[in-house]
Amino acid sequence: MTKPTYLCLMAEDLTIITGSKAEIYQSLIPQIKGLLDGEPDLVANLANVSAALKEQFGWLWVGFYLVKPGSKPFGSAQDEETELVLGPFQGPVACTRIKKGRGVCGAAWQNAESLIVPDVEKFPGHIACSSLSKSEIVLPLIKNGEVVGVLDIDAVELDQFDETDKKYLTEIISLIPIP
C-alpha cells in the first residue's frame, strides 16, 4: 500500500509554541504561508487560517464572514443589498448573516477598518452570537479597495486583543489569495 502524497503541511505538523505574543505570531506566520502556498481555493485557505489561529491561541471563535448578495425568503424578490455571510470558522455555532453597520463585524465592514473591542458589552449594537464572548477583534479583507469579507475573532477574556494582534493578523490576512 502506498502512502498518500500531501501538497501541504498536515494539521499535526502545526508547531504550537509559547512565548511573547509577537514571538508566537512570528512562528505561526511561516506555517500559515506553508498552508496557503499553492492552494487557490478561498474556502480551503480561510478554513486553514481559522484552524491555525484557533489551535495556536485557543480563542473562543475564529472565522470569516464574506460579503455576498442579501437574501429574502424563498419566492420573494431578490434583495440587491449585500451582507456578511458566515464562512469558514472554528468555534461554537455562529450568526449566519450580518448587515452592514451592525455589530462589530458590520462596523468594520462599513468603515473598512480594523476594530479592537476590549469589552463587547460596551460596544453599541454588539451582536451576541455567544454569551461567552468578552472581547473581539475584526479585520477587513480588502481586494481592489473593496471590503470582501472580515476576519472575526472572539475571546472569553476581557481586553484580549491589542495592536500587536492587529499588526500580525493584518499580515496574515494579506497572505490569503482572494480570487
Side-chain angles (χ1 to χ4, degrees), residues 21-39:
K21 193 181 283 192
E23 290 169 335
I24 292 169
Y25 278 114
Q26 290 164 4
S27 170
L28 186 60
I29 287 171
Q31 296 181 78
I32 288 176
K33 282 181 183 175
L35 290 169
L36 300 175
D37 187 41
E39 178 52 63

Side-chain angles (χ1 to χ4, degrees), residues 16 61 64 83 93-95 100 173:
I16 306 300
W61 198 92
F64 292 88
E83 57 191 352
V93 174
C95 300
K100 192 175 230 178
I173 61 176

Side-chain angles (χ1 to χ4, degrees), residues 46 61 63-66 85-89 96:
L46 298 180
W61 198 92
F64 292 88
Y65 284 90
L66 301 173
V85 178
L86 182 63
F89 73 93
T96 306

Side-chain angles (χ1 to χ4, degrees), residues 70-165:
S71 67
K72 286 201 170 188
F74 182 74
S76 61
Q78 177 62 34
D79 184 359
E80 293 301 320
E81 292 185 24
T82 54
E83 57 191 352
L84 290 172
V85 178
L86 182 63
F89 73 93
Q90 298 280 312
V93 174
C95 300
T96 306
R97 294 177 181 271
I98 300 172
K99 298 283 186 197
K100 192 175 230 178
R102 289 208 52 228
V104 182
C105 290
W109 172 27
Q110 182 173 46
N111 299 319
E113 66 182 15
S114 298
L115 291 176
I116 298 171
V117 181
D119 182 348
V120 296
E121 296 297 325
K122 294 180 180 173
F123 188 87
H126 175 254
I127 300 168
C129 294
S130 171
S131 61
L132 297 175
S133 177
K134 302 296 182 214
S135 60
E136 188 170 0
I137 186 169
V138 179
L139 302 98
L141 284 86
I142 298 175
K143 180 181 179 182
N144 300 328
E146 300 264 336
V147 176
V148 296
V150 297
L151 169 60
D152 179 22
I153 303 174
D154 293 68
V156 295
E157 301 89 13
L158 291 170
D159 203 23
Q160 178 67 43
F161 305 105
D162 58 24
E163 291 297 319
T164 300
D165 295 293

